[in-house]
């Protein structure tokens, strides 16, 4: 079957029920997307399908209809997305393992809600677990990114 | 009198001693000294100044041997070397280096001795010195115990200074200009006329001259990097998905594996039927192991799926099958036979309680899992004469020794490539992923095998935080706390852990009463006794270790006595405190929280002060009791660390420690049924999520002459400060973690 990831079309030969997460990581070698829990409880595997955040560990690749964007397609070290810029400016990461998912979730959320309230941020981000406890900086970075995105 | 001078002088003495010892700093290109691991692959033109600095024509490499678990160890270590070496952080590359005795931890010993960290008496100092020597002899390269900063603070600055002065000597030899006329900046020696000689071009010359070891450290007023906000070295990678963790390692010809070990931890696997895996796509091999079954496949998910199709028979647990029986054993441990040590007895507690109006209470702390977000994994390739391991580990040398023993090979044949970790919190002090990956890779020689634990397996195989109870007795008079008698009984995580390391721990376990016996209070009659519960389910070090339980017991019960006395929790603690550092952190959080100011009718504030890993840390928590449950509004935290090396990471890690302490106290426990942990994924043990996170204000105090680490100390005060706040708001006294069994949280 075919799938498009970060603008590149790939031909893959896998079972239809293989979760997108493992297609990305083990078949295509795209490792910015992380395995954390396998049951959509941690959000480390968050990617975009047609711009909307989904948990790649729960999406069977056979059910996929749309283009996939991973953290690598959102921005690069040389050309950061506004959300990534905010993550860098606030130095959010500790271990960093959850941050791909946090950033993908935040980018999708801000796309739907350009000026979120504190409660909306809390609600949108509480499916993404951070064991190091970077939550205060995640909140701050989302506000910075929202302001930046509104300027554009 | 500047503190900087004092520090520099003391540091210099330490540096000299090290030079005499020939271990750390006298190793500049000295081929006769095998201790410097950088010499092994040094080639002509490489200036290998000491185990931490290598410069050649192509660049400047700093070795940062403390494992980066997310605490920012890599950036911190690089910053310390760069400060004295006069290089900018964008001019260097870092590497964790190879495991080596040269990277023995000079600071870990301090917590292992039975003296309070503010005890500078002869015996305490002497024993810390002895333990330090033991660490050196063992070559114990350890990341843990909040020691990365104290271990590195003098040592790595000296490493930078030695390299800098040697480069100046090389430039002097090259130009004929006296070294005293030369300065250094931005990776170059600067001549009196302003001309620059880059370190990279001087390296070949520097490699040929004698080292300059007579160096002194700069006064803090001259620091460019230490204490200044800098961009973390890994922040771009960790914001773009380009940071490679152990689980991301990929190599040609690699196969994927996963395992199910007996969930009754430590018991054998007794039989299995893998018939249903026949013909499953991508499944290459089913490996029966003494403790479980592994699947090798061409893809991680295919290995996971095949594991689910195997029927496995497990032996019974080597500990009580049901949780209630664990508690029975803990409760039965307050006996003379199980007394591990009476750690402190000021005054005469028995006499003081005689005839007094005695207040009693019983506290409990459950097993709690580590569960960093990156599941356990390892890539291992077993060859006939060489084994390579790619994994993140806090004890790299132990990994090598353990694998060598397992495969009957020499330690030198085992190569560990330490990786960035997606969190640890003590999880990566254990070896299950290494053991299993080695056993599986041994079945397919010369093939790299990536082993990944399913999250459920990671929960099942975790070595949890110690379970324990405390029984308190106390009394008050004239509005003051006068007697505090605390008996603490927990299993010994340190003994459980050290047994698995093959190095049984002698003497009493300092961690059972940690955070309680060393309370910096002058209560007239004060006693703390520790009881060792025999091993139940195996346990291990969990972020802040003993203080996460004993600190909760001590500060919760003290708060009860203070309320009973009718005193203010902050004022009474300030009256009782007997140490300037501890007093200052209490005063700091009192000021930050505006303690004593009016609160709403359903609001409450609680305070706690716990000293762990030598760091007195005070926290004030403010909560609101809403109709839907308790809302944790704000936290103020102050810690005395001597010196904040990296203020950006400091704030992040301290806030994270508060969140770790609060989240697990509120929401997490591991319980056993039928010999197995009942919680198998984050929906059943999630710590804290973002919506529960309070606003946190952090302050680092820098009054002490001793530099301390802060990975763990913010954790212990969080639980009691929260319990004390909830009492203030609601009148409900929480004596058992997790609190969500007693109250609701929004």
């Amino acid at each position: 079957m075919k799938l498009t990831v970060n603008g590149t079309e790939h031909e893959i030969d896998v079972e239809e029920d293989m979760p997108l997460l493992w297609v990305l990581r083990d078949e295509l070698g795209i490792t910015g997307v992380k395995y954390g829990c396998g049951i959509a409880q941690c959000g480390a595997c968050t990617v975009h399908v047609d711009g909307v955040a989904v948990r790649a560990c729960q999406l069977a690749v056979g059910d996929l209809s749309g283009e996939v964007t991973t953290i690598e397609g959102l921005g690069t070290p040389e050309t950061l997305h506004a959300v990534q810029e905010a993550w860098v400016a606030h130095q959010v990461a500790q271990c960093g393992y959850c941050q791909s998912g946090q950033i993908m979730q935040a980018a999708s959320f801000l796309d739907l809600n350009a000026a979120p309230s504190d409660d909306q941020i809390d609600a949108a981000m509480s499916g993404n677990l951070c064991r190091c406890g970077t939550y205060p900086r995640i909140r701050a970075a989302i506000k910075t990114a929202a302001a930046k995105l509104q300027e554009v | 009198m500047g503190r900087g001078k004092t520090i520099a002088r003391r540091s210099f003495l330490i540096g000299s001693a090290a030079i005499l010892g020939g271990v750390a700093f006298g190793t500049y290109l000295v081929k006769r000294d095998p201790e410097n691991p950088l010499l092994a692959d040094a080639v002509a033109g490489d200036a290998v100044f000491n185990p931490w600095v290598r410069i050649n024509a192509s660049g400047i490499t700093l070795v940062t041997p403390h494992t980066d678990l997310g605490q920012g160890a890599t950036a911190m270590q690089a910053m310390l070397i760069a400060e004295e070496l006069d290089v900018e952080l964008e001019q260097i590359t870092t590497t964790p280096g190879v495991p080596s005795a040269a990277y023995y931890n000079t600071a870990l010993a301090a917590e292992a001795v039975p003296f309070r960290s503010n005890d500078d008496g002869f015996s305490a100092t002497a024993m810390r010195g002895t333990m330090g020597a033991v660490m050196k002899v063992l070559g114990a390269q350890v990341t843990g115990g909040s020691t990365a900063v104290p271990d590195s603070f003098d040592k790595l600055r000296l490493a930078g200074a030695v390299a800098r002065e040697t480069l100046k000597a090389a430039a002097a030899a090259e130009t004929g200009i006296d070294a005293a006329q030369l300065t250094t900046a931005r990776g170059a020696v600067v001549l009196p006329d302003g001309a620059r000689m880059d370190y990279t071009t001087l390296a070949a010359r520097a490699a040929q001259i004698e080292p300059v070891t007579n160096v002194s450290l700069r006064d803090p007023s001259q620091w460019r990097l230490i204490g200044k906000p800098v961009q973390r070295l890994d922040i771009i990678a960790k914001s773009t998905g380009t940071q490679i963790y152990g689980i991301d390692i990929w190599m040609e010809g690699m196969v994927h594996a996963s395992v199910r070990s007996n969930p009754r931890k430590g018991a054998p696997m007794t039989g299995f039927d893998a018939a249903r895996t026949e013909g499953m796509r991508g499944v290459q091999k089913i490996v029966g192991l003494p403790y479980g079954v592994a699947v090798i496949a061409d893809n991680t998910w295919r290995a996971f799926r095949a594991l689910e199709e195997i029927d496995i028979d497990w032996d019974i647990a080597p500990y009580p099958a049901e949780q209630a029986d664990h508690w029975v054993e803990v409760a039965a441990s307050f006996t003379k036979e199980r007394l591990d040590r009476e750690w402190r007895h000021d005054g005469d507690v028995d006499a003081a309680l005689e005839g007094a109006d005695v207040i009693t209470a019983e506290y409990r702390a459950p097993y709690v899992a580590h569960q960093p977000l990156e599941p356990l994994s390892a890539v291992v390739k077993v060859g006939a004469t060489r084994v390579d391991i790619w994994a993140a580990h806090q004890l790299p040398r132990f990994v090598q020794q353990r694998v060598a023993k397992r495969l009957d090979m020499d330690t030198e044949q085992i190569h560990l490539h330490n990786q960035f970790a997606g969190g640890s919190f003590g999880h990566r002090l254990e070896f299950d992923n290494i053991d299993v990956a080695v056993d599986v890779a041994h079945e397919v020689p010369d093939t790299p095998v990536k082993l990944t634990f399913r999250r459920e397996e990671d929960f099942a195989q975790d070595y949890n935080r110690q379970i324990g109870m405390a029984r308190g007795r106390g009394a008050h008079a004239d509005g003051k706390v006068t007697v505090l008698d605390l008996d603490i009984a927990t299993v010994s995580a340190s003994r459980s852990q050290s047994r698995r390391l093959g190095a049984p721990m002698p003497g009493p376990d300092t961690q059972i009463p940690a955070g309680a016996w060393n309370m910096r209070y002058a209560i007239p009659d004060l006693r703390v006794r520790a009881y060792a519960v025999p091993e139940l389910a195996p346990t291990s070090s969990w972020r802040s270790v003993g203080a996460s339980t004993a600190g909760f017991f001590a500060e919760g019960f003290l708060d009860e006595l203070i309320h009973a006395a009718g005193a203010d929790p902050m004022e009474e603690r300030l009256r009782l405190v007997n140490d300037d550092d501890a007093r200052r952190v209490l005063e700091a959080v009192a000021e930050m929280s505006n303690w004593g100011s009016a609160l709403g009718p359903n609001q409450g504030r609680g305070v706690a002060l716990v000293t762990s890993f030598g760091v007195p840390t005070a926290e004030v928590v403010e909560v609101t009791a809403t109709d839907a449950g308790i809302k944790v509004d704000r936290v103020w935290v102050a810690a005395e660390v001597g010196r904040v090396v990296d203020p950006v990471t400091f704030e992040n890690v301290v806030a994270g420690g508060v969140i770790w302490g609060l989240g697990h106290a509120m929401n997490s426990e591991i319980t056993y049924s039928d010999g197995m942990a009942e919680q198998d994924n984050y929906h059943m043990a999630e710590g804290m999520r973002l919506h529960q996170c309070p606003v946190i204000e952090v302050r680092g105090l820098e009054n002490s002459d001793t530099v301390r680490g802060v990975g763990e100390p913010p954790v212990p005060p969080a639980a009691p400060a929260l319990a004390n706040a909830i009492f203030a708001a609601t009148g409900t006294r929480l004596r058992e973690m997790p609190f969500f069994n007693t109250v609701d949280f929004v």
Side-chain angles (χ1 to χ4, degrees):
Chain A
M1 69 187 85
K2 286 181 166 49
L3 82 164
T4 302
V5 183
N6 301 330
T8 302
E9 191 175 273
H10 299 269
E11 178 72 40
I12 52 164
D13 171 22
V14 299
E15 302 87 320
E16 296 230 323
D17 57 346
M18 185 180 289
L20 175 62
L21 167 66
W22 296 109
V23 174
L24 293 170
R25 284 185 59 82
D26 282 7
E27 300 296 317
L28 301 180
I30 297 170
T31 56
V33 54
K34 302 301 188 197
Y35 168 59
C37 70
I39 59 167
Q41 287 296 308
C42 77
C45 65
T46 304
V47 299
H48 294 175
V49 175
D50 288 341
V52 178
V54 299
R55 309 297 190 224
C57 75
Q58 290 300 297
L59 179 62
V61 68
D63 294 337
L64 179 67
S65 60
E67 295 197 3
V68 177
T69 306
T70 70
I71 183 90
E72 290 92 340
L74 188 73
T76 66
E78 294 74 33
T79 55
L80 298 170
H81 181 274
V83 172
Q84 293 171 311
E85 271 178 20
W87 246 250
V88 170
H90 288 274
Q91 306 224 45
V92 173
Q94 287 185 37
C95 88
Y97 193 79
C98 73
Q99 301 298 348
S100 292
Q102 303 277 4
I103 289 167
M104 295 307 280
Q105 177 72 19
S108 168
F109 167 60
L110 290 174
D111 205 33
L112 298 168
N113 183 350
S117 68
D118 289 357
D119 286 348
Q120 288 169 333
I121 292 173
D122 282 9
M125 299 304 296
S126 282
N128 288 73
L129 202 58
C130 172
R131 297 288 286 159
C132 300
T134 62
Y135 300 133
R137 292 186 185 205
I138 288 172
R139 282 178 176 147
I142 288 176
K143 289 182 180 178
T144 297
K148 179 78 188 275
L149 286 165
Q150 289 203 311
E151 283 170 19
V152 178
Chain B
M1 175 65 202
R3 277 181 55 245
K5 278 227 164 60
T6 315
I7 288 173
R9 190 161 59 241
R10 190 191 56 213
S11 304
F12 179 58
L13 291 173
I14 290 168
S16 301
I19 291 160
L20 291 173
V23 172
F25 307 109
T27 53
Y28 167 73
L29 263 200
V30 184
K31 298 279 186 195
R32 62 184 174 271
D33 188 339
E35 291 284 358
N36 185 345
L38 299 188
L39 294 173
D41 57 354
V43 297
D46 279 8
V48 181
F49 298 88
N50 49 52
W52 295 274
V53 183
R54 180 210 303 267
I55 301 178
N56 58 29
S58 57
I60 301 167
T61 303
L62 306 186
V63 181
T64 57
H66 277 287
T67 311
D68 203 308
L69 311 164
Q71 83 285 44
T74 300
M76 178 276 295
Q77 294 169 91
M79 191 189 286
L80 291 173
I81 303 171
E83 182 70 70
E84 290 284 345
L85 183 55
D86 279 340
V87 293
E88 302 304 316
L89 294 176
E90 61 269 18
Q91 294 179 297
I92 52 116
T93 55
T94 62
T95 168
V98 298
S100 169
Y103 304 122
Y104 79 94
N105 190 317
T106 57
L108 192 69
E111 274 293 306
V113 299
F115 297 94
R116 276 174 254 168
S117 55
N118 55 347
D119 182 347
D120 292 326
F122 175 75
S123 301
T125 307
M127 192 179 268
R128 281 188 202 108
T130 304
M131 285 301 289
V134 170
M135 294 289 167
K136 181 170 161 183
V137 170
L138 290 174
Q141 183 185 348
V142 175
T143 302
S146 295
T147 57
V149 167
D151 174 47
S152 305
F153 189 66
D154 292 338
K155 192 163 79 178
L156 295 193
R157 284 186 299 145
L158 281 166
V162 164
R164 181 196 70 221
E165 291 304 315
T166 308
L167 286 157
K168 277 164 73 177
E174 192 98 358
T175 62
I177 300 170
D178 188 84
Q181 304 293 311
L182 302 173
T183 59
T184 47
R186 294 194 59 83
V189 176
V190 183
L191 307 184
D193 66 357
R196 294 167 55 85
M197 301 178 78
D198 287 343
Y199 290 170
T200 48
T201 56
L202 280 170
R205 181 70 186 239
Q208 293 161 11
I209 66 169
E210 283 299 307
V212 178
T213 53
N214 182 17
V215 299
S216 56
L217 295 175
R218 288 181 175 147
D219 187 87
S221 64
Q222 295 176 275
W223 286 343
R224 301 168 297 119
L225 299 168
I226 297 170
K228 309 287 193 298
V230 298
Q231 182 169 303
R232 234 176 110 136
L233 292 171
D234 54 12
I235 205 70
I236 299 282
K238 287 180 173 177
S239 306
T240 53
T242 53
Q243 176 68 56
I244 297 296
Y245 301 86
I247 203 169
D248 300 325
I249 297 287
W250 185 91
M251 56 192 69
E252 200 61 47
M254 186 173 81
V255 296
H256 299 263
S258 194
V259 68
R260 280 169 66 199
S261 296
N262 193 334
R264 300 181 182 108
K265 194 142 180 60
M269 185 273 293
T270 53
F272 68 98
D273 177 358
R276 291 200 304 280
T277 64
E278 289 288 330
M280 283 183 77
R281 182 171 170 187
V283 174
Q284 297 177 352
K285 192 163 187 170
I286 309 296
V287 182
L289 299 159
Y291 45 81
V293 181
V295 174
I296 300 174
D298 62 356
N299 168 301
T300 305
W301 177 73
R302 291 183 182 127
F304 284 5
R305 205 167 59 152
L307 276 177
E308 290 165 11
E309 297 300 324
I310 303 174
D311 298 319
I312 312 177
D313 299 320
W314 307 117
D315 209 341
I316 60 167
Y319 46 81
E322 301 303 321
Q323 184 63 34
D325 294 322
H326 292 234
W327 286 117
V328 166
E329 193 66 34
V330 177
S333 295
F334 295 92
T335 65
K336 196 180 286 180
E337 292 70 34
R338 293 184 180 176
L339 177 67
D340 206 42
R341 181 176 156 122
E342 178 177 288
W343 284 87
R344 183 164 173 184
H345 196 165
D346 302 345
D348 184 341
V349 165
D350 291 321
L353 288 173
E354 188 79 35
D357 195 2
V358 178
I359 295 164
T360 63
E362 187 171 279
Y363 280 72
R364 290 179 183 228
Y367 294 114
V368 189
H370 297 85
Q371 296 308 302
L373 203 58
E374 181 194 10
L376 288 178
S377 72
V379 176
V380 176
K381 183 177 167 188
V382 176
T385 57
R386 178 186 172 105
V387 174
D388 286 276
I389 302 166
W390 293 263
H393 207 280
Q394 294 176 248
L395 305 171
R397 294 252 301 159
F398 286 94
V399 169
Q400 291 179 304
Q401 289 156 8
R402 186 180 182 92
V403 172
K405 199 170 167 191
R406 202 169 186 87
L407 296 176
D408 195 21
M409 293 172 76
D410 294 332
T411 305
E412 294 68 35
Q413 294 176 298
I414 314 300
H415 301 265
L416 173 69
H417 311 274
N418 213 356
Q419 302 294 313
F420 269 78
S424 179
F425 319 113
H427 203 35
R428 297 177 207 280
L429 288 163
E430 298 288 345
F431 302 91
D432 289 19
N433 54 326
I434 306 292
D435 290 349
V436 177
V438 165
D439 289 351
V440 174
H442 189 249
E443 296 288 317
V444 284
D446 300 314
T447 304
V449 177
K450 182 196 281 188
L451 173 81
T452 305
F453 276 36
R454 294 168 305 130
R455 176 58 61 189
E456 292 79 4
E457 179 73 4
D458 208 320
F459 264 91
Q461 301 302 327
D462 204 342
Y463 297 90
N464 297 309
R465 196 265 310 273
Q466 68 279 352
I467 186 177
M469 287 173 61
R471 289 176 179 163
R473 301 187 299 162
H476 58 88
D478 305 324
K480 298 169 182 166
V481 175
T482 53
V483 190
L484 173 56
D485 185 22
L486 195 64
D487 285 342
I488 299 167
T490 76
V491 295
S492 171
S494 300
R495 284 200 189 107
S496 187
Q497 191 178 353
S498 60
R499 258 198 299 275
R500 289 187 294 280
L501 274 172
M505 192 181 71
D509 177 3
T510 58
Q511 288 298 325
I512 295 174
W517 80 284
N518 56 334
M519 66 173 80
R520 297 189 180 185
Y521 296 125
I523 298 171
D525 298 289
L526 170 61
R527 181 167 62 189
V528 178
R529 291 183 292 198
Y531 298 84
V533 181
E535 176 98 334
L536 296 167
T539 53
S540 190
S541 293
W542 182 91
R543 191 174 185 177
S544 78
V545 201
S548 75
T549 47
F552 168 61
F553 304 151
E555 279 287 319
F557 186 56
L558 174 63
D559 207 66
E560 294 198 53
L561 299 179
I562 293 172
H563 279 279
D568 175 83
M570 182 68 78
E571 287 172 15
E572 180 64 356
R573 282 179 175 82
L574 282 167
R575 190 187 68 78
L576 290 170
V577 80
N578 64 350
D579 169 274
D580 285 343
D581 290 337
R583 178 178 49 75
R584 278 189 285 256
V585 296
L586 274 175
E587 287 171 347
V589 292
E591 181 237 308
M592 292 159 74
S593 66
N594 199 10
W595 184 273
S597 62
L599 286 164
N602 296 315
Q603 286 195 302
R605 285 190 197 108
V607 58
L609 164 68
V610 180
T611 301
S612 62
F613 304 92
V615 178
T617 308
E619 292 172 27
V620 168
V621 174
E622 195 172 287
V623 301
T624 304
T626 74
D627 291 341
I630 301 290
K631 182 172 187 307
V632 186
D633 298 314
R634 296 178 71 95
V635 178
W636 297 268
V637 49
E640 171 57 61
V641 292
R643 182 68 67 179
V644 175
V645 173
D646 175 350
V648 175
T649 296
F650 178 87
E651 196 276 342
N652 205 351
V653 168
V654 171
V658 170
I659 290 165
W660 181 264
L662 291 175
H664 293 90
M666 290 158 63
N667 302 322
S668 294
E669 65 181 327
I670 295 296
T671 53
Y672 287 86
S673 180
D674 194 18
M676 299 178 275
E678 294 185 285
Q679 295 75 15
D680 72 353
N681 212 316
Y682 289 124
H683 61 300
M684 304 175 85
E686 61 190 9
M688 182 176 279
R689 288 182 182 275
L690 185 137
H691 69 95
Q692 289 187 324
C693 183
V695 174
I696 302 169
E697 195 181 322
V698 174
R699 189 180 292 178
L701 303 190
E702 302 181 293
N703 298 298
S704 168
D705 278 343
T706 308
V707 177
R708 305 277 191 183
V710 80
E712 294 166 284
V715 175
L722 175 60
N724 298 343
I726 292 171
F727 177 79
T730 67
T732 299
R733 177 58 70 180
L734 297 172
R735 301 188 183 93
E736 295 183 20
M737 299 190 282
F739 301 150
F740 78 170
N741 288 333
T742 311
V743 297
D744 291 328
F745 291 95
V746 295

